[in-house]
Every structure is written in C-alpha cells, then in structure tokens.
Amino acid sequence: MWKNLPKEIKRYLVFYSITGFSFSAIIAAPTLGKVLNISIEELGWLFSFSYILQAILTYVLGRKFESISVNYGYALARTFFALGSIFFILARNIYGFVAAQLLLGVTDVFYPCQVMYERALFPPKKREEIYSTQFLITEFTKVVAYFFLVFILSKYMKDLRFLSAIFFSTFVANIFYAFSFLKILPRVKSGSSLHEDHVLATSVNGPFISIMLHQYLAFMAFSFSSFLIISYYLMDHFKLDSSSPFLFEMIFSASLVVAYPWKRKVNNSTIRNLLIGSMLIIATFALWFVPNVYVFFASHVIMGFGFILWFPAKETIKMSLSPRELGRWEGFFQGLNIFSRTFVPVVSTQIAGRLGHRWVFLTSAFIFTASLLSSIPAMRWFHRIEKIRV
C-alpha cells in the first residue's frame, strides 16, 4: 500500500502524524483545569463559551475556502493551535485558561479545510486504505510519544511542570506544521478542487445529508465523553495522577496500531466496516458505565478496533457522496457540531456532577446508536453503487 502511494501523499501522511502528538494538548487542557482547582462544572461553562463564536466562523470560512487555497486555512489552524498551547503555559487562573481554550479551539473552525484538502489529494479508489494508513501512522506516533510522557517525563516532572512541557512541545511542533503547508506540502488550489479520478455524485442529497448527520451525531457522542469528563473521572473517581489520561489514550492508540494489520486481513466491505466499527464504539461507551478502573482502561482497546473500522469507512462514504460545494456543507455541519458544544460541556458536566460520570458515558452510547441509525440511507446508496461498479 505504502509503496504504491504518490510521494506527495506519503509526505502529507508523515507530516499529519504531528496531529497525533498535538492531541496531547487537548488531553492536557482539562487536566490543567483539575490541577488549577477549577471545578468540572465551571470548566463545562468555559468550554461551552469558547464554542459560540467558533460555530459561526466555521460555516463562513467553509464557504470562503471553496474559492481559495485550503493550504492557508490549514496553516492558520495549526498556528492557532500553537498559540493556544503557549497560552496554556501562561494560564494560572480561570481567565488565562479561557484565553488559551479560545485560541486552541479555533483550530476546529478550519476542519473543512482538512476535508477538502484530502478530497483533492487522495485517489477515490484508495481512500479507505489511505485513511486507515493515516490512522496507523498517527496512532503509532501517539503510542511512542505518550509512552515517553507517562513512563519517563512524568517521573521527573509533576503537574504544572509536566503539563507545561507538553504544551511547549506542541507549540513547536505546530509552528513547524503550519510552515509545512505553506512551503513543503502539496498545494491544493481551492476547496472546490477535486482529485482527477473523483466522480461527482448526482441527485443524492438525501444519502449525503444522512452520512453528514451520522458524522454530526457521532462527534456529539464523543463530545459528551470528551477528555473534559474522562480526565476528571480518572483523577476524581479513581484518584490517579495527571499522567493517567495520557496512559488511557496510549492504550487506545496501541489498539489502533494492532488493529491495522487485522483490518487488512479481514478485508470487509466499507458498509460492513461502518456497521461493525459503530457497534464496537457503542459497546465501549456502554462498558464505561461499569465503575471499575480495569474495565475502563481495557475497554478502550475495543474502542480502538472500532475506530479503525468506523472512521475510514465513514470518510469513504462521505467523499463518494460529496458535492463540489463540500466546503459549505462541511462548514455547516462542523458549525452545527461546534454549536452543539456550546451546551454539551455544560450538560455533560452537570450530569457528571449530579448523577455521576458513568451516566455521561451511557448518554454517549445512546447518541452513537442514533448516529448509526441515521446512516442507513447513505449505506443503502453506497451499497447499490458498489454493486454496479462490481
């Protein structure tokens, strides 16, 4: 698979691995809130506040980058991520935390740029394999980085020093990543650019909206059980230290790496991968309802196997159904996703504070189930097209 890929795709996948390490800043943010003694309910309101402006910007910029190079949007996204990381180092109270979270969160506004960039770069017939390879490289990077953080760095640095080292590293990595989109990585002329082998789908508005709704609800499920909830759960309920959220994510990443060769041998259809992957993710959320630290950590292996099946399949179906104006649609649904985050952190933290963290996980299981049901029209359309192609 790797040998047959064009050099520009290989280069992009290698640089994309930086996002795996960068995810450590997203884990470290709520962990920092706990270290600064900000309550989970307060943090819920702060996270919600930071998403209001982003929801509006996402739709506007999604349309804007249909006509200009998405490389600029991608570079801006990583620059904001770098600035947010630096602001977290300086944060010592609730106000500094808000400023840092606002900057870090702006990265999500430019998510449509990533989708449009990859649509133009990845050959349609190899998309699912490429997305699987992308995950393999990214998650392998996380396994190596988080092993270093949990078993080496945390032995010499504790709490604020430990988290500051992580934020500074992500700052440096993302500044370099932003530069690479301007000077090193392939240039995509505009968000409306298509791969030369891409065939636009016609008269499939219903199935396309179906897969976008599926993505929206799936992301909402992950938002409910985000690291805002997980970090506090590990540190409050199980009394673990600030490195425990990274160990938790390292298990997920390791399971993805292990699942990759298994996925290639199984060689399921795209539809079957979406179904099985979704059911494994739902099962993981349900298992998190069990208040046992060993079950909680071990079940993340199931999440990894589910994710390596679900995400590449979901992206493949979405790309096959996408109209040329993907930017505005991705911008609309990502804006809707961010808008949902204006209340999801408040709701999830209130549930966690009043009923217990595990009820938040059960809510995610129900939402992801609804997500799977909403994808049925898209799966039926894709199945018909695949039969015609065969």
Side-chain angles (χ1 to χ4, degrees), residues 43-63:
L43 214 57
W45 284 104
L46 293 179
F47 272 67
S48 292
F49 172 75
S50 70
Y51 292 132
I52 296 174
L53 181 61
Q54 295 172 33
I56 300 170
L57 283 174
T58 302
Y59 178 65
V60 173
L61 290 176
R63 294 175 64 95

Side-chain angles (χ1 to χ4, degrees), residues 281-294:
I281 292 171
I282 293 167
T284 304
F285 284 133
L287 282 172
W288 287 358
F289 186 75
V290 179
N292 181 284
V293 67
Y294 299 107

Side-chain angles (χ1 to χ4, degrees), residues 119 198-201 208 317-324 326:
R119 180 177 66 168
H198 186 96
V199 178
L200 281 171
F208 175 68
I317 296 172
K318 181 177 72 175
M319 293 297 183
S320 300
L321 285 162
S322 66
R324 184 176 291 274
L326 177 61

Side-chain angles (χ1 to χ4, degrees), residues 324-346:
R324 184 176 291 274
E325 300 80 13
L326 177 61
R328 65 190 65 187
W329 282 102
E330 195 69 61
F332 171 77
F333 277 96
Q334 180 67 358
L336 189 62
N337 179 42
I338 295 175
F339 177 74
S340 298
R341 294 183 201 172
T342 63
F343 64 82
V344 164
V346 172

Side-chain angles (χ1 to χ4, degrees), residues 214 218 221-222 278 281-282 285 310 364-372:
H214 168 72
F222 290 125
S278 296
I281 292 171
I282 293 167
F285 284 133
W310 170 74
S364 290
F366 286 125
I367 295 174
F368 210 102
T369 301
S371 168
L372 177 57

Side-chain angles (χ1 to χ4, degrees), residues 257-278:
V257 173
V258 171
Y260 177 75
W262 164 77
K263 178 181 183 293
R264 295 195 68 187
K265 289 181 181 179
V266 172
N267 197 27
N268 283 330
S269 67
T270 302
I271 297 298
R272 188 171 295 178
N273 284 340
L274 185 75
L275 283 169
I276 297 174
S278 296

Side-chain angles (χ1 to χ4, degrees), residues 1-182:
M1 173 61 191
W2 182 259
K3 291 179 181 178
N4 297 328
L5 288 177
K7 289 183 179 179
E8 61 269 18
I9 295 180
K10 291 180 181 178
R11 197 182 313 139
Y12 171 70
L13 294 177
V14 170
F15 275 81
Y16 186 83
S17 65
I18 294 174
T19 62
F21 175 71
S22 299
F23 193 75
S24 59
I26 296 173
I27 301 175
T31 307
L32 177 64
K34 174 63 180 174
V35 171
L36 294 177
N37 293 318
I38 303 174
S39 72
I40 190 171
E41 289 85 2
E42 286 181 306
L43 214 57
W45 284 104
L46 293 179
F47 272 67
S48 292
F49 172 75
S50 70
Y51 292 132
I52 296 174
L53 181 61
Q54 295 172 33
I56 300 170
L57 283 174
T58 302
Y59 178 65
V60 173
L61 290 176
R63 294 175 64 95
K64 182 67 175 176
F65 282 103
E66 287 177 1
S67 56
I68 62 177
S69 176
V70 289
N71 288 67
Y72 296 123
Y74 225 147
L76 277 173
R78 303 327 299 184
T79 301
F80 276 113
F81 199 98
L83 292 174
S85 299
I86 282 293
F87 270 61
F88 271 122
I89 295 176
L90 303 175
R92 290 297 179 267
N93 54 44
I94 196 168
Y95 303 106
F97 192 97
V98 170
Q101 180 58 35
L102 282 170
L103 286 168
L104 197 73
V106 169
T107 305
D108 290 338
V109 171
F110 295 92
Y111 176 71
C113 292
Q114 176 183 332
V115 177
M116 292 184 284
Y117 186 89
E118 291 173 352
R119 180 177 66 168
L121 195 64
F122 296 171
K125 292 182 180 179
K126 295 183 178 179
R127 277 179 182 145
E128 188 170 0
E129 291 182 76
I130 293 173
Y131 279 116
S132 298
T133 305
Q134 186 182 54
F135 265 111
L136 174 67
I137 295 171
T138 305
E139 300 306 318
F140 181 78
T141 302
K142 288 165 71 173
V143 170
V144 174
Y146 294 176
F147 181 89
F148 172 77
L149 295 178
V150 173
F151 295 106
I152 298 177
L153 190 64
S154 65
K155 303 297 182 184
Y156 300 97
M157 296 182 178
K158 296 296 181 183
D159 295 335
L160 284 176
R161 287 184 64 206
F162 173 69
L163 296 173
S164 294
I166 292 171
F167 286 127
F168 181 76
S169 300
T170 56
F171 164 76
V172 173
N174 279 274
I175 287 295
F176 174 67
Y177 196 22
F179 173 80
S180 70
F181 276 103
L182 300 178

